[in-house]
Amino acid sequence: MASDNRTKIEKWLNPIYLQEEIINALKKAFLQEKEFSHVQLQDFFKPEKAKTLAQHLQRAHYQQRYVPDKYRYAKADEIGALKTVQEVFQDAVFRLWLEEITGKKVKGCHMEVVRFVQGDYTLMHDSETPEEGIVIIYDPALPWSAGSGGYEVFTVPEKDPLILQPQANTLTIIGATKETLQFTKYVNSLCKDKKRYCLKVNYNNRE
Amino acid sequence: MTALKNWLNPAYLTEKKQQQIKEQFAKNKPFPYYIFEDFLLPDKAMEIRKALMTLPFEEKDADLFFFAQTEDLLRTQESLIRGFINFLQSEELQALIATITGKKLAPTIDAFGAVYPPTGYLLPHDDQLEGRSIAYVYNLSQGFKKSNGGALELFSTKEHKPQEVVKSYPPKWNAFVIFEVSPDSFHQVSEVHTNNPRLSITGWFHGER
C-alpha cells in the first residue's frame, strides 16, 4: 500500500518537489511568511499530467451558483475524470508531504472544482466562520489575462491581504487561521471570454 | 425658496407634481424609488460636472467594488460643489425629500463624488448602515448607451435576500435618483465598458434619530 501511494505522488508531482532539500526550503519559506503563511509551487504537476488535468477541468460539467450578495460562479457537480487528482490530494503520502512543509496536521479534506467567467465573484461575509487549517489552490496550465480579476484574496484583520494571481500549473499552500476570510475578485470583461478553472482543497485538523 | 429656485428644475416646484412623485415613489418596485429627470437647471448641471472633474479621485478596490472616489464632499473647498452640497442640505430640499418619501429626516447628509473607470463595478448590497434613510445618486455622465454598462440595477428580494435584477437604469445626464434604504434595497452598478467616465455625486439623507 505504502509503495502504491509513493508511486501516486511520484507519478504526478514534479520530482523536484520530492527532494529533501527542496522540501526543507519550502518549509522555511512557509514559516517565514509573517503576514500569511503561504508558499507557491510553480510547474507543480508533471507536464503531461498538467495537460490532461487542464482538459478534464474544461470538460467537467459545471452548475451555476448565484446568491447575489454572496457569490456567482460555477461548481463541478460531479468529480468524474477529476477523481484521479482528488485521489492525489487525499493520498496519505501527499498529506505527510503537506504536513512536513506546513508543520500542521492535515486530516479532513474537501475538494471543490470551480469555474469563473466574466461577471463572476465571491464576497467576504460576516456570517462566514473561518476554520483553522490548510488551503491549497491549484491553477491549471490554461491561459488567463492579467488585469481581468478572478484572483484569490486572503485577508485577516489589520494585515495586508494576500493576493494570488492565477498562474499556470501552480499550487499554492496557504495556512488559514480562525480569522482568515477569502474572496475571489470579480472577473471583468478584459478576460475576453476566457474561463478560469481552479481546484481548491481545504484540510482541517479534525478527523 | 431661494435654494430650490436657484438650483432645481422649476417643473418640480408645484405641489401637484410633488404629490405625483410621492405616489410614484411609494408605488415603485422592487422598493420605493424615484428618478428626477432633468433635475437641476441645465447650466448648474454642467458647472457641477466641470467642477467635479477637477477634484482628485482615489481608487477604491475591494471584494465588493472597483471605482474611484473623491474626499468627503462636505469638506470640499471647491465653491460650486460647496454650493451644491448646501442645496442638498437646505431646509427646502430636505422638506421636499421628506414630503416625497414620507420619512422624517435629520438635517445631515453624506456626499462623495464617484467615477467608474472601464471595468469599474459595484456588486449587490443593501446600503444599510445606521443613520442612512434615503440614498441618492446624482448622475453627471453624458452619452451613456445601454451597451456601455454602468447601469444602476435593482434586485427583487425574498425574505430580505436579493433574488434577481428587475430594474436596470443606464446613467442619464442630470438625473437624480433617490431610494429608500431598507433590508430590501439591494442594488448594484453593472460593469462599465467605456472610457467615458461614469460620474456621479452620491450619498445619503440621514434619518431622524
Side-chain angles (χ1 to χ4, degrees), chain A:
Chain A
M1 188 67 196
S3 68
D4 278 356
N5 280 336
R6 168 60 72 188
T7 312
K8 196 170 284 168
I9 72 165
E10 278 177 351
K11 265 186 192 160
W12 279 76
L13 268 60
N14 180 341
I16 196 171
Y17 293 123
L18 299 178
Q19 291 174 11
E20 206 180 321
E21 63 272 35
I22 298 292
I23 291 175
N24 283 334
L26 293 174
K27 194 171 165 176
K28 234 183 201 167
F30 184 84
L31 295 174
Q32 263 171 9
E33 287 288 344
K34 290 241 165 48
E35 297 280 306
F36 258 109
S37 300
H38 76 282
V39 65
Q40 263 190 320
L41 287 66
Q42 290 171 347
D43 301 317
F44 183 65
F45 286 135
K46 289 180 177 174
E48 66 277 18
K49 289 289 183 192
K51 197 177 157 198
T52 320
L53 179 53
Q55 285 166 352
H56 287 160
L57 281 168
Q58 286 173 297
R59 286 183 200 146
H61 184 264
Y62 292 87
Q63 186 102 39
Q64 185 69 19
R65 291 161 56 86
Y66 184 35
V67 177
D69 59 336
K70 290 184 178 161
Y71 50 73
R72 198 192 101 161
Y73 67 100
K75 187 176 166 177
D77 52 10
E78 51 188 42
I79 291 298
L82 296 164
K83 194 166 175 44
T84 50
V85 68
Q86 187 182 39
E87 281 169 0
V88 175
F89 292 139
Q90 286 174 340
D91 184 287
V93 179
F94 181 81
R95 289 179 199 227
L96 282 176
W97 175 86
L98 257 186
E99 289 184 353
E100 180 67 25
I101 291 171
T102 63
K104 304 258 163 112
K105 283 267 166 251
V106 294
K107 288 177 176 164
C109 162
H110 175 73
M111 183 174 90
E112 225 189 1
V113 181
V114 294
R115 186 188 70 190
F116 288 84
V117 300
Q118 190 198 339
D120 285 353
Y121 57 87
T122 69
L123 299 174
M124 292 191 289
H125 236 265
D126 306 339
S127 58
E128 247 181 284
T129 44
E131 213 178 342
E132 204 173 329
I134 295 297
V135 180
I136 64 175
I137 294 181
Y138 175 77
D139 270 277
L142 289 169
W144 184 249
S145 325
S148 53
Y151 50 82
E152 304 291 328
V153 183
F154 286 81
T155 73
V156 288
E158 286 157 41
K159 281 187 186 177
D160 285 339
L162 171 65
I163 295 173
L164 302 170
Q165 292 285 354
Q167 286 187 58
N169 192 20
T170 296
L171 185 91
T172 309
I173 306 170
I174 303 121
T177 70
K178 282 181 176 137
E179 291 182 302
T180 308
L181 292 175
Q182 192 229 330
F183 69 90
T184 306
K185 182 70 174 171
Y186 175 86
V187 178
N188 66 47
S189 52
L190 300 179
C191 74
K192 303 269 182 239
D193 296 328
K194 284 196 190 80
K195 298 177 172 77
R196 181 188 171 221
Y197 299 87
C198 151
L199 288 169
K200 288 185 192 181
V201 190
N202 284 284
Y203 297 91
N204 58 37
N205 48 25
R206 291 179 284 118
E207 287 295 343

Side-chain angles (χ1 to χ4, degrees), chain B residues 18-202:
Chain B
Q18 291 175 11
Q19 197 54 40
Q20 232 175 33
I21 296 172
K22 181 182 173 149
E23 280 163 27
Q24 193 60 50
F25 176 86
K27 217 162 52 183
N28 272 339
K29 299 280 176 229
F31 47 80
Y33 73 93
Y34 186 77
I35 302 174
F36 295 82
E37 299 205 346
D38 302 314
F39 183 59
L40 295 190
L41 298 168
D43 289 355
K44 288 287 189 200
M46 197 54 84
E47 284 169 16
I48 293 171
R49 178 185 158 93
K50 278 188 199 146
L52 191 63
M53 286 175 91
T54 67
L55 298 184
F57 283 83
E58 192 190 334
E59 217 166 75
K60 301 273 169 190
D61 200 356
D63 55 342
L64 195 68
F65 48 73
F66 172 51
F67 67 102
Q69 203 177 42
T70 63
E71 59 164 345
D72 180 352
L73 291 183
L74 296 180
R75 290 194 217 120
T76 190
Q77 302 293 315
E78 210 297 321
S79 61
L80 255 153
I81 303 288
R82 181 79 252 156
F84 177 64
I85 299 301
N86 289 343
F87 157 71
L88 288 180
Q89 286 184 305
S90 68
E91 273 179 44
E92 295 104 305
L93 187 75
Q94 300 253 327
L96 176 66
I97 301 295
T99 303
I100 288 165
T101 61
K103 294 277 179 187
K104 286 194 168 136
L105 298 180
T108 52
I109 65 163
D110 293 305
F112 294 92
V115 65
Y116 286 68
T119 76
Y121 68 89
L122 174 62
L123 293 174
H125 64 290
D126 64 13
D127 262 13
Q128 280 203 104
L129 202 71
E130 208 182 331
R132 294 173 178 179
S133 178
I134 299 291
Y136 70 85
V137 183
Y138 179 49
N139 282 303
L140 290 161
S141 319
Q142 286 177 320
F144 256 73
K145 285 177 276 182
K146 214 173 168 184
S147 59
N148 294 153
L152 174 66
E153 302 188 315
L154 313 182
F155 284 80
S156 59
T157 55
K158 204 162 137 188
E159 289 160 358
H160 309 312
K161 290 185 178 79
Q163 303 295 305
E164 55 175 348
V165 171
V166 290
K167 293 279 170 70
S168 182
Y169 294 103
K172 198 167 181 185
W173 169 246
N174 196 15
F176 188 75
V177 184
I178 57 168
F179 64 83
E180 184 183 289
V181 177
S182 79
D184 291 317
S185 55
F186 280 95
H187 59 284
Q188 69 178 4
V189 175
S190 64
E191 185 185 337
V192 170
H193 302 302
T194 171
N195 288 313
N196 182 1
R198 185 196 188 274
L199 200 65
S200 63
I201 293 177
T202 180

